[in-house]
Structures are given as C-alpha cells and as structure tokens.
Amino acid sequence: MHIKQISSYPELHFERNHDGYDLQQEFNFLRAEIFTRKLLSQGLISRDEFQLIMQENRRTFPTFLSSIL
C-alpha cells in the first residue's frame, strides 16, 4: 500500500451572509416539511400530494436548502 502525504489543502470559501429573515425562512421551510411528512405518514395525504405540497413549500419558503433539493 502506498500512502501519499498531503502538504496543503485547497481553500474553501463559504458565503455567510445570512440575516434573520434567511434563518426564519429556513426554519419555516423545515417546519412545513416536518408537518407534511407527518400528514404522509398518517395516511392523510398521498405520495403525489406530498410531492405537490413540498413543491409549493419550496416556492413559498425560498431558502438555501430548498434551492438544492
């Protein structure tokens, strides 16, 4: 087995310009997702309805997380 030592790491840059509004949107989106998943698990909505509701949640609560989902 050959082991290669890495002497430097590439720089990682993350944008951290989140204000209170952005954090509130993240929270609202996650809360809506949890609630929608409960409806699905209790059989109150179908899988197709779940997908439609989550699509609307991503539009209603535009967040960093919803943009990558």
Side-chain angles (χ1 to χ4, degrees):
M1 177 163 78
H2 179 70
I3 298 174
K4 180 179 178 181
Q5 182 176 359
I6 299 174
S7 58
S8 66
Y9 298 97
E11 291 293 322
L12 298 175
H13 299 283
F14 296 100
E15 195 172 315
R16 295 184 185 206
N17 295 332
H18 297 290
D19 59 10
Y21 177 78
D22 290 338
L23 294 176
Q24 185 65 49
Q25 287 293 89
E26 293 283 344
F27 177 75
N28 290 341
F29 175 78
L30 292 173
R31 191 169 53 174
E33 181 181 20
I34 290 168
F35 180 73
T36 308
R37 285 190 187 281
K38 282 183 182 180
L39 291 173
L40 178 63
S41 70
Q42 293 175 3
L44 299 173
I45 60 173
S46 69
R47 191 76 169 143
D48 290 338
E49 290 170 320
F50 172 80
Q51 294 297 331
L52 290 172
I53 293 169
M54 287 307 298
Q55 221 173 32
E56 186 62 29
N57 285 343
R58 285 188 282 278
R59 278 194 294 267
T60 303
F61 308 113
T63 65
F64 173 74
L65 287 179
S66 66
S67 67
I68 61 174
L69 296 176

